[in-house]
Amino acid sequence: DESLILTGLGMAYLRQEDLVSAKRHLQRAVKFDGEHFYSRLGLGYVALEQKSYKTAMTHLEKSVDLLPTLQGGYFLARAYEAEGRKGDALELYRAVAESDRGGRLGALAADKVRGLEGR
């Protein structure tokens, strides 16, 4: 019942694409320590993949508040986009694209910006 160990297990399950086990471990991690960005990031990603966008936003917003990361910003933008919050999504996609020029997430975010702007 150690938050960091549970987070590590949850993220390992994510790498194996086992969303059910990942979610179970990450939820337990948050129960013990809800102030760790990585467990919130993982839970937000799981919720995003399961199309639970409001839940994804809750966890990803908390993750980004705790520690802004490119992954957190990109996933949060995806959740905003799925919920119809185009302006919020564009703002985050632009920030990720600018911060990660030449990187994989930056390229994905730049593509999203072009798509949302209709270019």
Side-chain angles (χ1 to χ4, degrees):
D1 290 342
E2 184 66 39
S3 180
L4 291 177
I5 292 171
L6 291 166
T7 298
L9 287 168
M11 297 309 273
Y13 281 115
L14 268 183
R15 283 185 209 92
Q16 296 296 317
E17 299 180 21
D18 182 349
L19 296 180
V20 172
S21 296
K23 181 178 179 179
R24 184 176 67 246
H25 285 83
L26 292 166
Q27 283 176 325
R28 288 182 63 211
V30 167
K31 177 182 171 189
F32 289 110
D33 182 3
E35 298 297 309
H36 186 60
F37 90 97
Y38 204 42
S39 52
R40 293 289 187 159
L41 178 67
L43 262 181
Y45 177 78
V46 168
L48 189 61
E49 290 299 301
Q50 294 177 333
K51 298 181 180 10
S52 297
Y53 302 119
K54 288 187 188 326
T55 300
M57 285 188 295
T58 298
H59 289 297
L60 292 167
E61 286 170 348
K62 181 68 174 179
S63 175
V64 169
D65 284 346
L66 292 167
L67 182 67
T69 63
L70 290 172
Q71 296 87 355
Y74 181 78
F75 295 147
L76 183 54
R78 281 184 49 201
Y80 284 157
E81 181 182 4
E83 279 293 301
R85 293 175 56 178
K86 182 180 174 181
D88 293 327
L90 269 170
E91 182 180 331
L92 280 174
Y93 284 138
R94 284 185 187 121
V96 171
E98 186 175 309
S99 296
D100 192 34
R101 292 177 194 259
R104 187 177 76 75
L105 278 179
L108 291 171
D111 285 344
K112 290 287 196 171
V113 168
R114 283 189 292 277
L116 288 173
E117 290 179 337
R119 292 190 272 154

